[in-house]
Amino acid sequence: MGLTSALTTSLNGLALNEQTIDVIGNNIANAGTNGYKASNVLFQTQLSRTLSVGSRPTTGNGGTNPKQIGLGANSAAIVKDFTQGSITNSASPSDLAIQGDGFFIVSGSDGNVYSRAGNFNLSSEDSLVTPAGLRVQGYGVDEDFNLVTTQLTDIEIPLGDLTVAQQTRNVEISGAVLSTGNVATQGTTLSSQEAFVNTAGGTVVGGDTASGVTLLTDLYKEGDTTALFNANDVISFTPRKGGRLLETQTLAVTATTTLSDLLTMMDRTIGIHSGGDVPTEGGSNPGVSIDANGLIQVIGNQGSVNDISLTLGDFTKTDGTTAATVEIPFTKNQTADGESSITDFIVYDSLGQEVNVKLTTYLESRDSTSSTFRYFLESNDDSDADVVLSNGSFVFDGVGEVSSGAIQQFSIDRNNTAAVSPMQINIDFSTMTGISTTSAGSAITLQSQDGSSPGSLSRFVIDETGIINGIFDNGIIRTLGQVVLARFSNPQGLLDNGNTTFLEGVSSGTPFLVTPGNFGAGTIRAGSIELSNTDIGRNLVDLIVSSTNYRGNARVIDSVQRLIDELLLLGR
């Protein structure tokens, strides 16, 4: 019985050490496998053959101990070593390493599996995938680039295919204005040199004075018998303001077009601000009108950059074949004055299209402690015919700093486009100064605006929380998604699935989905790879020990064989 037990025990020892050598060989073979977790075999004793259970102490005897002979060992478990592997840098921004606990979630044809290997790349479909083609899972984004955390989806990074623009929401103006300059006292006033009547050959004194309701096809210069306009004419108007030639606007003449329509077109083309607290001129609001004497009156805004000039040739008309100048000469009665400045800048709508804006300022008033500047905003890209956008004022204190009106708001209509309308924009004057010199005068400029033209996704970065930030070639940064990790209450219960992945096992527990850095999960290191945690030195030592143990068990078998041979010799 003893020799037979020794044989079976040693045979069992051979099998166990073979298993250990097999595990060590696998560890060494995967020493270069990214994300690989080494294993080791745990032994435990088997049942023992009990020769005696021992005895209790008595008055005459101190007791005896049990006598047992072990029947060898078996494999208690093959344990994965889930400690952190070394992390090394890589050249790819899509390579990821987990610093801490957790597994990447990747999806294949049989559902989700889990991995520590983060050597990912982009597929032809813009999905983040493993070398085996398994798709990395995480949170996606909605159409406004907000994370959708209700379900997992494939991580997609459409380099070169995704285009976005950013609407301007904030504008910052900088510069210096001359608070000690000339305070504005008047705006431009012009009067037409000839009166207008509503009857061929009519006169003002005869009661034929034209009014706003007069049809353009019935509009005559006093004493003339030829109407200024005919149905189907297209009137073009190109005035000057502040020495600048303004953008031409047109008016199509129909059987119902009135003089009021023409005056409104003039007002909107020039960009005359009125109403609210905009200063009046002699009690009259700025604008274009016709007076009781049939004269067209133009009242402009204050500030030298708002001075209006109307000359012969500013009005033209065409009937589709012939173009002609409409002779409506004006006399300038007074010139706009006041220390002022002007600048043009570009903002962007929600489709990334450029919108040109003109900003003018002038010194409206001054007292012993402050100076007040009024600003006017205009744009020919506003969807309505009026270039006027907004006006307001800001105040400098005694040291040239803006004390009130620093941040204000204006809007631009984009109804003739598919863009969001109206655009709401905050304009910030806080960085301006009221200190300048007479020689330098007043000068303002756009310091910054937060909009951009359309741009394509050019690159991406992944932060430690797994959020994927797409960087577009127009400077915009947008969230494209977030890598999600899985944690298990018993990682030892996971099943190896090949391709450096694991399957959920019956004893692993269900996966707990977490974002990196939360609820005990590790953080993400982009542009890095976690290497195998195989310790070559330790495994080689273990290999020597296991080989020695194997030879020892084989030696026991050899010894038993020799003893049996001796017994057989006794029987001869």
Side-chain angles (χ1 to χ4, degrees), residues 148-378:
V148 178
T149 59
T150 55
Q151 62 180 4
L152 293 179
T153 186
D154 298 344
I155 294 294
E156 294 184 350
I157 306 175
L159 289 176
D161 295 333
L162 182 61
T163 301
V164 300
Q166 180 164 296
Q167 176 183 315
T168 299
R169 290 181 170 83
N170 297 284
V171 168
E172 187 174 358
I173 304 298
S174 63
V177 292
L178 185 60
S179 299
T180 58
N182 296 325
V183 176
T185 60
Q186 62 185 30
T188 307
T189 60
L190 302 104
S191 302
S192 61
Q193 296 178 5
E194 299 174 274
F196 295 91
V197 294
N198 56 20
T199 305
T203 62
V204 172
V205 296
D208 303 318
T209 305
S211 66
V213 297
T214 300
L215 297 174
L216 288 186
T217 52
D218 294 334
L219 184 66
Y220 301 84
K221 290 183 179 180
E222 186 176 25
D224 282 359
T225 57
T226 303
L228 283 174
F229 306 104
N230 300 307
N232 300 320
D233 282 348
V234 176
I235 305 170
S236 298
F237 180 50
T238 312
R240 291 177 182 270
K241 185 165 75 169
R244 292 184 170 195
L245 191 65
L246 301 181
E247 187 169 318
T248 300
Q249 288 201 29
T250 60
L251 176 67
V253 179
T254 67
T256 59
T257 307
T258 64
L259 177 57
S260 179
D261 296 327
L262 176 62
L263 301 180
T264 299
M265 185 266 280
M266 292 174 61
D267 186 303
R268 291 177 169 180
T269 304
I270 297 170
I272 300 176
H273 297 252
S274 63
D277 57 357
V278 175
T280 60
E281 193 66 38
S284 299
N285 283 321
V288 183
S289 61
I290 187 165
D291 64 14
N293 296 317
L295 298 175
I296 295 177
Q297 302 288 346
V298 178
I299 302 175
N301 298 117
Q302 297 178 1
S304 59
V305 295
N306 296 313
D307 186 52
I308 302 167
S309 296
L310 299 179
T311 60
L312 285 177
D314 289 350
F315 283 100
T316 60
K317 66 177 180 179
T318 179
D319 58 7
T321 57
T322 304
T325 298
V326 181
E327 295 187 2
I328 305 179
F330 282 84
T331 298
K332 180 177 283 191
N333 302 312
Q334 65 183 34
T335 300
D337 64 5
E339 178 66 33
S340 56
S341 60
I342 185 171
T343 189
D344 296 279
F345 57 88
I346 293 173
V347 296
Y348 297 91
D349 65 17
S350 60
L351 298 179
Q353 300 304 303
E354 293 184 355
V355 178
N356 292 282
V357 179
K358 180 173 72 175
L359 169 66
T360 61
T361 68
Y362 73 89
L363 181 57
E364 183 177 73
S365 64
R366 182 173 55 231
D367 58 29
S368 60
T369 60
S370 64
S371 54
T372 301
F373 281 78
R374 179 162 294 278
Y375 71 87
F376 295 129
L377 287 163
E378 300 165 16

